[in-house]
C-alpha cells in the first residue's frame, strides 16, 4: 500500500496526469483524471492532496480519542449514573416513600413536575431527548462543512465542547442535582454526535484520494476500480473502528480501577465518566495535528450560515426520486442504528436492575464488548476478503446474526435460560461485541459509496440524523413498554421488530445504480 511523502500541500492538477511519489522508494504512479476517475474536474476538489500516512494517523486518532466516550460514557456510565441519581432522588411506586435503592431489583419512580417516571426508563427518555436535539444540530450545520475549512474546524469545536462538558460530571455531588446530570449528558451527547458526523464524512474523501485508488484509476477497468475502492474503504473504516474500540477497552480498564479505588458508588462512576471525557479531550490533538482540512468551495456570498445547511438538506430531500438508492439505504439505517443503540441501553439497564449486577461487574461487561468489537472488525474484514463477499452481503448476514440477541432474551419468559442468570450475560457481551463494530463499519462504507462527490458532510449529516437523530424511537417505545408492563424483558419485543425491517430494505438496494445516481446528481447540481 503506497503513500506519498508528506510535503505540506499538493499543487493543483494542471494536466490530465499527475505523478505520485511512493515513500518506500521513488516509484511513480500516474492516474488519469477522466470521467471514470475521481471527481477532479471539480475546481476545488482538483486541488486535494494525496492521502498520506500522517493524515490516516490523524483520522484514526480521532476514533482513538472519541470512541471510548461512546463505548464507556454512552454505553455504560451515563445510563447507570442517570438511573442511580433518579432512584436516589425518587420514590417507591406508592409515590410517598423514598426509594430503597439498597434492595436488589428495586422498582422506583422519579417525580418530574406532576409526573412520575420509572427510574428504569428515565435514562431512555433522556437519551430520546438528546438525540432529538442532535437531529436539529446535524441538519443545521452539516452542509456548511462542505465549504471552506469548516469540516475540520467544526469537528474540533464540537469535540472540545463535548469533552469539556463531560468532565463536569463530578459537579453532580448529590441526587437532588439529577437535573444537572441530565443537562450535561445531553450537551456532551449532542457534541459527540456532531463531531462524529464530521469525522465519518472524511471516509469517502480519504478513500477517493488514497494512492491505491488513484493508481487503479489509470487502468480504466470499472470492476477493478470498484473492487479496490470498496477494499480500501472497508480497510480504513475497520481499522478506525478497531482502534476506537481498543481505546475503549483501555479507558474502561482504567475506569474500573478508578471505581474500585474510590469505592463502588455512583459518584465514583461520575469520576470515571469525567476521565473518559478527559481522554477524548486530550487525544483530539491527533486530528488537530495530522488531519488535513481538505477545503471545499467558499459559501456563496448570498447565503447565510444560519439557513444555508437547512436549505441544502431540504433541497436534497426534495430530490429523493433522483437518489432512490441512497435514501433507501438511509431508511434501512434508521432501523439498524436505532436497534443497536436501543439494545445497548436496554441491556445495560437489564443487567443492573434485573440481573442485579454491580458496578464492577458492569464495567467488566463494558470491557468485554469493545474488546470483542475490535477483534470482530478484523475477523469479519478477513472473512469478507477471503470469500470475496460484498459489503451489502456482510451487512445482511450480520443483521441476521444480531437478531438472535433479543430473541434469546425473550426465551427467558418460558425457559430457565434466556439472560436469566448473570453467567449468561458474559456470553451475550462477547457475541454482541463481535457483531456491533463490524455492522457499523460496513454500513458507513456502503453509504459512502452512494454519495455525490464533494457533498460528504451534507449527506453524512443525514446519516447521523438517521443514526442519532432517529434513535429516540427505540428508547421511547421500550421505555413506554417497560412502564406499562413493569418488566424490562418485554422491551426485547420492539427490538426484534425493528431489526427485521432493515434486512428487507437493504436487500432491495442496487449499489451500482446508486453510484450512477450520485454522480448524475452531482453533475446536475
Amino acid at each position: 500500500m503506497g503513500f506519498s511523502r508528506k510535503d505540506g500541500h499538493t499543487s493543483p492538477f494542471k494536466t490530465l496526469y499527475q505523478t505520485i511519489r511512493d515513500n518506500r522508494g521513488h516509484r511513480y504512479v500516474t492516474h488519469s483524471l477522466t470521467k471514470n476517475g475521481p471527481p477532479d474536474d471539480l475546481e476545488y476538489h482538483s486541488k486535494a492532496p494525496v492521502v498520506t500516512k500522517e493524515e490516516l494517523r490523524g483520522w484514526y486518532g480521532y476514533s482513538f480519542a472519541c470512541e471510548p466516550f461512546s463505548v464507556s460514557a454512552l454505553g455504560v456510565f451515563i445510563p447507570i449514573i442517570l438511573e442511580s441519581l433518579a432512584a436516589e432522588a425518587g420514590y417507591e411506586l406508592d409515590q410517598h416513600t423514598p426509594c430503597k435503592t439498597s434492595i436488589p431489583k428495586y422498582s422506583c419512580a422519579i417525580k418530574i413536575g406532576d409526573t412520575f417516571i420509572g427510574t428504569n426508563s428515565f435514562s431512555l427518555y433522556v437519551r430520546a431527548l438528546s438525540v432529538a436535539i442532535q437531529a436539529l444540530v446535524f441538519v443545521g450545520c452539516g452542509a456548511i462543512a462542505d465549504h471552506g475549512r469548516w469540516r475540520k474546524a467544526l469537528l474540533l469545536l464540537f469535540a472540545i465542547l463535548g469533552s469539556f462538558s463531560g468532565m463536569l460530571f463530578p459537579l453532580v455531588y448529590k441526587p437532588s442535582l439529577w437535573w444537572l446530570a441530565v443537562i450535561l449528558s445531553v450537551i456532551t451527547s449532542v457534541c459527540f454526535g456532531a463531531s462524529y458526523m464530521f469525522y465519518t464524512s472524511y471516509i469517502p474523501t480519504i478513500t477517493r484520494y488514497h494512492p491505491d485508488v488513484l493508481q487503479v484509476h489509470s487502468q480504466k477497468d470499472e470492476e477493478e476500480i470498484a473492487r479496490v475502492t470498496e477494499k480500501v474503504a472497508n480497510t480504513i473504516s475497520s481499522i478506525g473502528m478497531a482502534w476506537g474500540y481498543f481505546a475503549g477497552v483501555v479507558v474502561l480498564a482504567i475506569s474500573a480501577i478508578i471505581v474500585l479505588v474510590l469505592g463502588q458508588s455512583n459518584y465514583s462512576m461520575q469520576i470515571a465518566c469525567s476521565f473518559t471525557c478527559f481522554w477524548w479531550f486530550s487525544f483530539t490533538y491527533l486530528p488537530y495535528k495530522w488531519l488535513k482540512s481538505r477545503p471545499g468551495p467558499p459559501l456563496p456570498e448570498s447565503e447565510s450560515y444560519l439557513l444555508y445547511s437547512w436549505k441544502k438538506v431540504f433541497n436534497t430531500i426534495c430530490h429523493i426520486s433522483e437518489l432512490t438508492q441512497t435514501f433507501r439505504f438511509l431508511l434501512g439505517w434508521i432501523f439498524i442504528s436505532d436497534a443497536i443503540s436501543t439494545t445497548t441501553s436496554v441491556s445495560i439497564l437489564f443487567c443492573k436492575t434485573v440481573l442485579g449486577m454491580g458496578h464492577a461487574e458492569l464495567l467488566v461487561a463494558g470491557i468485554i464488548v469493545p474488546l470483542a468489537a475490535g477483534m470482530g472488525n478484523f475477523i469479519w474484514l478477513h472473512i469478507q476478503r477471503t470469500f470475496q463477499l460484498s459489503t451489502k452481503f456482510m451487512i445482511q448476514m450480520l443483521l441476521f446474526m444480531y437478531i438472535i440477541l433479543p430473541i434469546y432474551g425473550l426465551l427467558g419468559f418460558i425457559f430457565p435460560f434466556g439472560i436469566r442468570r448473570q453467567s449468561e450475560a458474559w456470553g451475550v457481551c462477547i457475541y454482541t461485541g463481535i457483531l456491533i463494530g463490524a455492522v457499523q463499519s460496513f454500513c458507513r462504507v456502503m453509504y459512502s459509496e452512494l454519495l455525490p462527490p464533494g457533498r460528504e458532510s451534507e449527506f453524512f449529516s443525514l446519516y447521523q440524523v438517521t443514526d442519532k437523530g432517529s434513535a429516540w424511537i427505540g428508547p421511547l417505545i421500550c421505555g413506554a413498554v417497560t412502564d406499562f408492563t413493569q418488566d424490562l424483558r418485554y422491551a426485547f419485543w420492539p427490538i426484534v421488530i425493528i431489526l427485521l425491517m432493515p434486512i428487507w430494505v437493504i436487500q432491495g438496494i442496487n449499489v451500482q445504480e446508486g453510484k450512477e445516481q450520485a454522480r448524475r446528481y452531482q453533475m446536475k447540481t
Side-chain angles (χ1 to χ4, degrees):
M1 184 180 296
F3 294 87
S4 64
R5 290 185 184 278
K6 183 180 179 182
D7 57 359
H9 299 281
T10 303
S11 60
F13 295 137
K14 298 179 180 179
T15 65
L16 294 179
Y17 296 91
Q18 178 182 12
T19 303
I20 305 171
R21 180 185 296 274
D22 189 318
N23 74 319
R24 292 174 297 186
H26 293 283
R27 175 171 58 85
Y28 290 85
V29 181
T30 58
H31 65 278
S32 174
L33 304 183
T34 64
K35 65 179 181 179
N36 295 320
D40 294 326
D41 54 316
L42 300 177
E43 178 184 355
Y44 287 88
H45 292 279
S46 68
K47 302 177 183 179
V50 178
V51 173
T52 63
K53 282 184 176 180
E54 288 76 13
E55 183 170 16
L56 279 177
R57 288 172 186 161
W59 191 78
Y60 296 148
Y62 190 66
S63 181
F64 190 80
C66 74
E67 198 65 45
F69 174 81
S70 177
V71 170
S72 305
L74 289 182
V76 180
F77 297 133
I78 290 179
I80 294 175
I81 290 170
L82 291 175
E83 191 281 331
S84 297
L85 287 172
E88 292 171 10
Y91 301 88
E92 295 290 326
L93 294 181
D94 61 14
Q95 301 180 359
H96 298 290
T97 308
C99 181
K100 300 176 182 178
T101 57
S102 59
I103 300 176
K105 303 180 182 180
Y106 59 81
S107 182
C108 300
I110 184 172
K111 186 177 182 181
I112 301 178
D114 296 327
T115 305
F116 283 87
I117 297 176
T119 57
N120 277 347
S121 56
F122 176 67
S123 65
L124 296 177
Y125 289 128
V126 173
R127 182 176 178 82
L129 172 63
S130 69
V131 296
I133 296 175
Q134 286 180 62
L136 301 177
V137 174
F138 297 160
V139 175
C141 62
I144 293 175
D146 289 322
H147 297 272
R149 299 178 181 274
W150 281 105
R151 176 161 50 179
K152 180 177 178 179
L154 289 172
L155 185 157
L156 296 175
L157 175 63
F158 280 110
I160 293 171
L161 290 176
S163 57
F164 183 76
S165 298
M167 286 190 282
L168 299 180
F169 263 102
L171 294 180
V172 187
Y173 62 92
K174 57 182 180 180
S176 61
L177 293 175
W178 59 265
W179 57 269
L180 178 57
V182 170
I183 293 174
L184 291 176
S185 66
V186 169
I187 292 175
T188 192
S189 297
V190 169
C191 290
F192 167 77
S195 69
Y196 203 79
M197 172 183 69
F198 299 118
Y199 162 72
T200 52
S201 70
Y202 269 93
I203 293 177
T205 305
I206 290 178
T207 300
R208 185 180 306 132
Y209 298 106
H210 191 283
D212 288 358
V213 174
L214 294 176
Q215 179 179 359
V216 78
H217 272 286
S218 63
Q219 301 176 17
K220 301 181 181 179
D221 184 337
E222 293 292 344
E223 291 187 4
E224 182 65 9
I225 290 172
R227 186 190 68 82
V228 173
T229 300
E230 185 176 31
K231 176 182 177 182
V232 169
N234 276 309
T235 299
I236 292 172
S237 180
S238 296
I239 292 176
M241 192 73 72
W243 271 111
Y245 278 119
F246 287 141
V249 172
V250 174
V251 170
L252 275 171
I254 297 174
S255 299
I257 295 174
I258 292 174
V259 171
L260 291 175
V261 171
L262 298 181
Q264 297 185 42
S265 66
N266 192 52
Y267 195 72
S268 66
M269 297 288 282
Q270 293 170 224
I271 299 293
C273 184
S274 180
F275 166 74
T276 299
C277 294
F278 177 74
W279 176 286
W280 177 13
F281 176 83
S282 300
F283 284 99
T284 296
Y285 175 75
L286 298 179
Y288 166 76
K289 180 180 180 181
W290 286 320
L291 192 62
K292 291 183 173 65
S293 296
R294 296 195 172 272
L299 195 72
E301 294 183 1
S302 59
E303 296 292 346
S304 163
Y305 281 103
L306 183 62
L307 301 176
Y308 178 75
S309 189
W310 288 93
K311 291 167 60 177
K312 290 284 287 185
V313 172
F314 177 76
N315 181 67
T316 298
I317 293 175
C318 289
H319 290 82
I320 288 180
S321 60
E322 299 177 36
L323 294 166
T324 56
Q325 305 305 310
T326 304
F327 280 93
R328 184 172 293 173
F329 177 88
L330 286 175
L331 176 61
W333 179 238
I334 287 176
F335 296 105
I336 296 173
S337 61
D338 193 20
I340 290 175
S341 62
T342 304
T343 301
T344 301
S345 299
V346 169
S347 296
I348 196 71
L349 292 173
F350 192 89
C351 289
K352 183 180 186 298
T353 61
V354 178
L355 299 183
M357 296 176 68
H359 288 167
E361 293 167 312
L362 291 173
L363 282 173
V364 172
I367 292 173
I368 291 174
V369 172
L371 182 60
M375 294 186 293
N377 273 282
F378 290 117
I379 291 172
W380 294 113
L381 182 62
H382 176 72
I383 290 174
Q384 183 194 32
R385 290 180 177 179
T386 300
F387 296 99
Q388 298 183 358
L389 303 173
S390 69
T391 303
K392 173 182 171 179
F393 179 85
M394 295 300 298
I395 294 173
Q396 290 180 286
M397 180 179 67
L398 293 173
L399 288 177
F400 272 114
M401 297 178 66
Y402 208 98
I403 204 170
I404 295 174
L405 290 169
I407 291 176
Y408 183 73
L410 291 172
L411 293 178
F413 278 119
I414 54 179
F415 294 105
F417 57 86
I419 321 181
R420 294 180 63 91
R421 298 182 299 274
Q422 290 186 12
S423 58
E424 294 176 87
W426 308 120
V428 170
C429 287
I430 295 173
Y431 188 81
T432 302
I434 290 176
L435 299 177
I436 190 171
V439 170
Q440 293 172 327
S441 179
F442 286 124
C443 280
R444 68 188 189 183
V445 168
M446 183 174 175
Y447 181 67
S448 68
E449 294 184 81
L450 304 173
L451 304 187
R455 302 178 66 169
E456 291 82 8
S457 294
E458 175 192 343
F459 275 81
F460 264 101
S461 71
L462 295 175
Y463 183 80
Q464 288 297 99
V465 165
T466 52
D467 180 8
K468 307 298 182 182
S470 66
W472 59 271
I473 301 174
L476 192 64
I477 294 175
C478 290
V481 169
T482 302
D483 278 344
F484 180 77
T485 62
Q486 293 300 310
D487 187 343
L488 192 58
R489 190 179 297 274
Y490 280 99
F492 288 124
W493 275 115
I495 296 174
V496 172
I497 297 172
I498 295 172
L499 275 170
L500 285 172
M501 294 298 295
I503 296 175
W504 170 72
V505 174
I506 297 295
Q507 175 60 34
I509 296 176
N510 185 320
V511 177
Q512 185 57 41
E513 181 182 347
K515 292 178 181 179
E516 295 173 358
Q517 287 180 344
R519 179 171 290 278
R520 288 196 299 268
Y521 183 75
Q522 175 59 42
M523 297 299 293
K524 177 180 177 180
T525 57

